[in-house]
């Protein structure tokens, strides 16, 4: 059966010292707590090794925020999936809307990144989501379907290793959350798109997270929906107590 997951995405925030301190706080707060979901913290490349050293892996799993679509070689400034894996990370966020929007990442590149992540035994947290205009003009279901279909070259076995994060772009960092009903409708749609391609078992076993201004005050209502299996958390993951508040929505 699919897992419930709360994953933090620190984005381009915290210096190394600040990041290690935050990871320590999260780890300490979770100790001895009744935690009913998998907790993942996705951090900048520069922080991976040091954060890994302070996280207890049975409490908090480690993830990166991106990886290269190239395996290795003359790509100055890029970080490969095998480099990420070598830090101890288990997860990698791919296709975040900020990568799609600001760095022009397209479906082809994202498929290449996903394949390399899987080949290096990293679990992708693959982000999809529509922009405001697409929400308003009613094309959002088709847009998100197309983003999920970008992965349909994968075998059922490989697709089964992927976590999907539905993040409506208009809700990211805006304080404007999708309603629990909007999230549920889209998550059910995504699950059906997966089912039509890979069958019921793969669809039912895929964790689909919601992301977009999720916080302790709205997490419970969102996570109570049958197809919402947790959250990908930006701003609220930068403080240990609010991150914990979201994790506790599963209690
Ligand atoms: C995100 O960037 O993945 C995100 C969901 O951000 P926020 O929670 O700040 O909206």
């Amino acid at each position: 059966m699919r897992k419930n997951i709360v994953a933090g995405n620190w984005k381009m925030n915290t210096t190394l010292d600040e990041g290690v301190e935050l990871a320590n706080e999260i780890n300490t707060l979770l100790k001895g707590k009744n935690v009913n979901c998998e907790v993942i913290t996705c951090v900048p490349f520069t922080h991976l090794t040091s954060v890994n050293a302070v996280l207890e892996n049975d409490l908090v799993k480690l993830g990166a925020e991106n990886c290269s679509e190239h395996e290795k070689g003359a790509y100055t400034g890029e970080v490969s999936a095998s480099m990420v894996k070598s830090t101890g990370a288990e997860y990698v966020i791919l296709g975040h809307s900020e990568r799609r929007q600001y760095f022009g990442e397209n479906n082809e590149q994202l498929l290449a990144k996903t394949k390399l992540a899987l080949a290096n035994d990293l679990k992708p947290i693959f982000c999809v989501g529509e922009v405001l205009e697409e929400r308003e003009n009613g094309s959002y279901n088709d847009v998100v379907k197309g983003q999920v279909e970008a992965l349909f070259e994968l075998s059922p076995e490989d697709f089964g290793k992927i976590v999907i994060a539905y993040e409506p772009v208009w809700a990211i960092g805006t304080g404007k959350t999708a309603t629990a009903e909007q999230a549920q409708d889209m998550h059910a749609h995504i699950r059906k798109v997966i089912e039509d391609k890979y069958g019921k078992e793969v669809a039912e076993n895929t964790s689909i997270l919601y992301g977009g201004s999720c916080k302790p005050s709205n997490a419970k209502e969102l996570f109570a929906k049958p197809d919402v299996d947790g959250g990908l958390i930006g701003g609220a993951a930068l403080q240990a107590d609010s991150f914990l508040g979201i994790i506790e929505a599963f209690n």
Side-chain angles (χ1 to χ4, degrees), residues 9 11 93 96-98 127 167 171-175 210-215 232-237:
N9 170 18
K11 311 194 186 192
I93 296 173
H96 192 280
S97 63
E98 289 150 15
C127 302
E167 302 204 300
I172 296 180
T174 57
Y210 167 78
S213 299
C214 186
K215 36 191 184 274
L232 179 57
I233 318 298

Side-chain angles (χ1 to χ4, degrees), residues 27-106:
N27 199 79
T28 307
L29 275 182
L30 285 176
K31 249 189 231 177
K33 286 256 168 20
N34 179 24
V35 176
N36 291 318
C37 61
E38 181 152 303
V39 179
I40 306 167
T41 294
C42 299
V43 307
F45 293 133
T46 47
H47 297 21
L48 284 165
T49 304
S50 308
V51 165
N52 192 40
V54 301
L55 292 180
E56 288 167 62
N57 269 181
D58 51 337
L59 291 178
V60 191
K61 314 272 185 221
L62 181 67
E65 300 174 15
N66 184 25
C67 72
S68 174
E69 78 244 43
H70 303 290
E71 195 178 342
K72 63 193 246 187
Y75 299 101
T76 302
E78 288 290 277
V79 176
S80 71
S82 69
M83 291 172 182
V84 169
K85 181 67 185 177
S86 70
T87 67
E90 285 181 50
Y91 285 88
V92 59
I93 296 173
L94 293 176
H96 192 280
S97 63
E98 289 150 15
R99 302 291 322 168
R100 293 177 189 260
Q101 262 189 311
Y102 307 145
F103 302 95
E105 292 189 0
N106 59 37

